[in-house]
Amino acid sequence: MIQGALTTIALFFLGIPYAILLGAVVSVTAIIPYAGAFIGAVPGVIIAFFVSPTTSVLAVLVYIAIQQLDGNFIMPRIQGEVLRVHPIIVLLAIFIGGGLVGIIVSVPLLAVLRVLFYFFRVRLDIENGGSGA
């Protein structure tokens, strides 16, 4: 959602038609970690090229900047605070998942496994006379 909103605003200020629709495309394709925003950028860059080649280059730069902002600052913070999963573990899960379905499923599956691991670790620690923390 963040990538889509930022894309919509940036494309609107660049004067690219269908900015809201193109932002929605980025929001949907951003579900695919790492590559999704770039896949979603293709229609926007093509439409921007029909406005002017300079606008197309600016659109590419905007898409890259938004992807870098989201990938390096926003998402690691969200994942670190909410899921308590290190970004490298997320990256490994994506590589292990492989393929489009694996990429989409691996991060939520990793979060579920993390919760289950924590749940059982605390329960086993309590049964063994530990502090539970």
Side-chain angles (χ1 to χ4, degrees), residues 8 19 38 41 87 111 119 123:
T8 299
F38 292 111
F119 175 80
R123 297 306 177 267

mmCIF file of all heavy atoms in Angstrom, residues 8 19 38 41 87 111 119 123:
data_model
loop_
_atom_site.group_PDB
_atom_site.id
_atom_site.type_symbol
_atom_site.label_atom_id
_atom_site.label_comp_id
_atom_site.label_asym_id
_atom_site.label_seq_id
_atom_site.Cartn_x
_atom_site.Cartn_y
_atom_site.Cartn_z
ATOM 1 N N THR A 8 1.577 6.689 -6.821
ATOM 2 C CA THR A 8 0.481 7.514 -7.313
ATOM 3 C C THR A 8 0.817 8.993 -7.199
ATOM 4 O O THR A 8 0.646 9.760 -8.155
ATOM 5 C CB THR A 8 -0.816 7.205 -6.535
ATOM 6 O OG1 THR A 8 -1.156 5.835 -6.736
ATOM 7 C CG2 THR A 8 -1.956 8.086 -6.992
ATOM 8 N N ALA A 19 -2.342 7.823 -13.099
ATOM 9 C CA ALA A 19 -1.457 7.682 -11.944
ATOM 10 C C ALA A 19 -2.084 6.809 -10.856
ATOM 11 O O ALA A 19 -1.396 5.975 -10.253
ATOM 12 C CB ALA A 19 -1.090 9.049 -11.388
ATOM 13 N N PHE A 38 9.141 -3.761 -9.210
ATOM 14 C CA PHE A 38 9.748 -3.562 -10.531
ATOM 15 C C PHE A 38 8.845 -4.106 -11.634
ATOM 16 O O PHE A 38 8.753 -3.518 -12.711
ATOM 17 C CB PHE A 38 11.130 -4.203 -10.596
ATOM 18 C CG PHE A 38 12.127 -3.500 -9.718
ATOM 19 C CD1 PHE A 38 12.622 -4.112 -8.586
ATOM 20 C CD2 PHE A 38 12.552 -2.214 -10.024
ATOM 21 C CE1 PHE A 38 13.527 -3.464 -7.777
ATOM 22 C CE2 PHE A 38 13.457 -1.553 -9.217
ATOM 23 C CZ PHE A 38 13.955 -2.178 -8.085
ATOM 24 N N ALA A 41 6.262 -1.602 -12.199
ATOM 25 C CA ALA A 41 6.757 -0.370 -12.801
ATOM 26 C C ALA A 41 6.682 -0.386 -14.317
ATOM 27 O O ALA A 41 6.634 0.678 -14.947
ATOM 28 C CB ALA A 41 8.195 -0.123 -12.364
ATOM 29 N N PRO A 87 15.709 -9.657 8.490
ATOM 30 C CA PRO A 87 15.572 -9.583 7.029
ATOM 31 C C PRO A 87 16.362 -10.655 6.271
ATOM 32 O O PRO A 87 15.937 -11.114 5.221
ATOM 33 C CB PRO A 87 16.077 -8.187 6.686
ATOM 34 C CG PRO A 87 15.859 -7.396 7.918
ATOM 35 C CD PRO A 87 16.049 -8.344 9.057
ATOM 36 N N ALA A 111 6.604 -16.448 9.006
ATOM 37 C CA ALA A 111 6.016 -15.787 10.173
ATOM 38 C C ALA A 111 5.244 -16.783 11.032
ATOM 39 O O ALA A 111 5.346 -16.757 12.262
ATOM 40 C CB ALA A 111 5.107 -14.650 9.727
ATOM 41 N N PHE A 119 6.045 -20.248 20.528
ATOM 42 C CA PHE A 119 5.010 -20.842 21.369
ATOM 43 C C PHE A 119 5.522 -22.124 22.025
ATOM 44 O O PHE A 119 5.421 -22.300 23.230
ATOM 45 C CB PHE A 119 3.766 -21.137 20.526
ATOM 46 C CG PHE A 119 2.676 -21.850 21.268
ATOM 47 C CD1 PHE A 119 1.823 -21.160 22.112
ATOM 48 C CD2 PHE A 119 2.507 -23.218 21.117
ATOM 49 C CE1 PHE A 119 0.813 -21.821 22.794
ATOM 50 C CE2 PHE A 119 1.500 -23.882 21.792
ATOM 51 C CZ PHE A 119 0.655 -23.183 22.633
ATOM 52 N N ARG A 123 6.619 -23.067 26.003
ATOM 53 C CA ARG A 123 5.936 -24.173 26.700
ATOM 54 C C ARG A 123 6.928 -25.229 27.177
ATOM 55 O O ARG A 123 6.823 -25.726 28.280
ATOM 56 C CB ARG A 123 4.902 -24.841 25.787
ATOM 57 C CG ARG A 123 3.762 -23.952 25.332
ATOM 58 C CD ARG A 123 3.049 -23.292 26.517
ATOM 59 N NE ARG A 123 2.007 -22.392 26.110
ATOM 60 C CZ ARG A 123 2.154 -21.090 25.914
ATOM 61 N NH1 ARG A 123 3.304 -20.513 26.051
ATOM 62 N NH2 ARG A 123 1.145 -20.329 25.572
#
